[in-house]
Amino acid sequence: MNSTARYALFFIVVLLANIMQTITGFAGTVLAMPFSIILIGGEEARLILNILGIAASLGVVLLNFKAINWKEVLKICIVMAAGMAIGFIIIHYADVSKQILYFILAGFVLLFTIIGIYTTFFKKEKVLEEGEVDKYAKIKEVMLYVILVVAGVVHGMFVCGGPLLIIYATKKLKDRDEFRSTLSMVWVVLNIVNLVRDIIAGAFTAENVGHLMAVLGISLAVLVGAIIVGNLIAKKLNKKAFMLITYILMTISAVSLILNACGIF
């Protein structure tokens, strides 16, 4: 497949992934990343999707600034930043082949899919009776912070720790506007951290910056179109149906990445 065809398919992936992101509220980057790695390579995909994540989140933040829970933003950013540092060390300094890293990403995507299907379609919240105490409350709280750290590791490596953060956020942020605006603020902060880290690490060079800016410019235009289309669809169609489609696409993307790492696809 020639370069033009690869980038055309990449822009289609960005479009479809962000339509799903707009409708379901999650999974845009984790859906796009495996396909993007296959089409344009892991490093370029990570740089472009990270900046797209900042742009998409800024829109939500500006529209819902008053709803942000700043206490949770600070807490999440500190804990996830610790995990991101680990992810950064793994992806830049550990002697791990790209194939192994792609297998790890595919494994996380499949894990996110299983967790998402369970929590969306099967899990039933246990309602405590009056005066009843949850004896596992402290263990659950610790596990939530462990999940945040792991989310940070995944985000530092692949810019797609969102699905794990969703597990934490659904327990801590009950209001819809607070949920969306707070998580969007988190992504603005953490993706800017990733961007600064990439700049310091020399990811943007005189040789590649013109190419990256051209790809990013088209991608941002596609992102705007995806948000418009996604909002129109969201008003008319069943959200759970689209979440199911998202999980199916995530599975396909993970399997495709595994086959690519094996040299089959």
Side-chain angles (χ1 to χ4, degrees):
M1 188 186 301
N2 62 39
S3 177
T4 302
R6 286 182 178 275
Y7 280 98
L9 287 174
F10 169 70
F11 296 133
I12 291 173
V13 167
V14 170
L15 176 68
L16 295 178
N18 282 285
I19 287 174
M20 292 299 184
Q21 169 78 27
T22 303
I23 294 168
T24 63
F26 79 106
T29 306
V30 75
L31 177 57
M33 182 61 79
F35 288 126
S36 300
I37 287 173
I38 294 170
L39 292 168
I40 66 172
E43 184 66 10
E44 185 173 340
R46 190 173 58 78
L47 294 173
I48 297 297
L49 293 178
N50 182 65
I51 297 173
L52 288 180
I54 296 172
S57 299
L58 266 176
V60 178
V61 167
L62 293 175
L63 290 172
N64 300 277
F65 193 80
K66 291 182 179 180
I68 295 172
N69 184 326
W70 290 102
K71 181 179 177 181
E72 284 296 335
V73 169
L74 181 62
K75 191 190 304 181
I76 293 168
C77 286
I78 290 173
V79 177
M80 282 190 66
M84 285 170 62
I86 298 170
F88 174 75
I89 291 170
I90 292 172
I91 202 164
H92 284 287
Y93 297 107
D95 186 18
V96 182
S97 70
K98 285 186 177 181
Q99 284 73 23
I100 296 297
L101 290 174
Y102 295 165
F103 277 121
I104 293 171
L105 175 58
F108 274 119
V109 173
L110 290 174
L111 176 63
F112 298 156
T113 302
I114 293 168
I115 292 172
I117 290 173
Y118 171 68
T119 55
T120 303
F121 299 102
F122 298 104
K123 185 179 179 181
K124 295 181 180 179
E125 289 287 341
K126 181 183 177 182
V127 180
L128 295 176
E129 296 180 7
E130 188 176 350
E132 185 181 2
V133 178
D134 185 356
K135 58 182 179 180
Y136 299 110
K138 290 185 178 179
I139 296 174
K140 290 178 180 177
E141 189 73 11
V142 171
M143 287 306 299
L144 284 177
Y145 285 103
V146 171
I147 287 170
L148 272 190
V149 174
V150 177
V153 174
V154 177
H155 201 67
M157 293 173 68
F158 305 112
V159 205
C160 52
L164 281 175
L165 176 56
I166 293 294
I167 297 172
Y168 172 90
T170 51
K171 299 293 183 182
K172 298 290 185 177
L173 305 167
K174 300 300 183 182
D175 179 76
R176 180 181 177 181
D177 288 339
E178 180 188 40
F179 183 93
R180 291 181 70 241
S181 59
T182 300
L183 291 195
S184 295
M185 190 68 234
V186 167
W187 295 132
V188 169
V189 173
L190 295 184
N191 286 358
I192 287 175
V193 169
N194 267 339
L195 178 59
V196 172
R197 179 199 72 184
D198 288 330
I199 293 171
I200 293 172
F204 296 90
T205 65
E207 290 75 23
N208 72 9
V209 70
H211 167 75
L212 287 173
M213 290 302 103
V215 175
L216 180 61
I218 297 172
S219 298
L220 286 170
V222 171
L223 174 65
V224 172
I227 292 171
I228 294 170
V229 173
N231 277 318
L232 290 174
I233 295 173
K235 294 176 181 179
K236 297 182 178 181
L237 296 178
N238 183 282
K239 182 178 176 180
K240 278 198 172 184
F242 266 86
M243 291 180 76
L244 180 60
I245 293 170
T246 300
Y247 293 134
I248 292 170
L249 291 174
M250 285 169 66
T251 303
I252 293 171
S253 69
V255 172
S256 299
L257 190 59
I258 292 170
L259 294 177
N260 181 262
C262 292
I264 299 171
F265 173 64

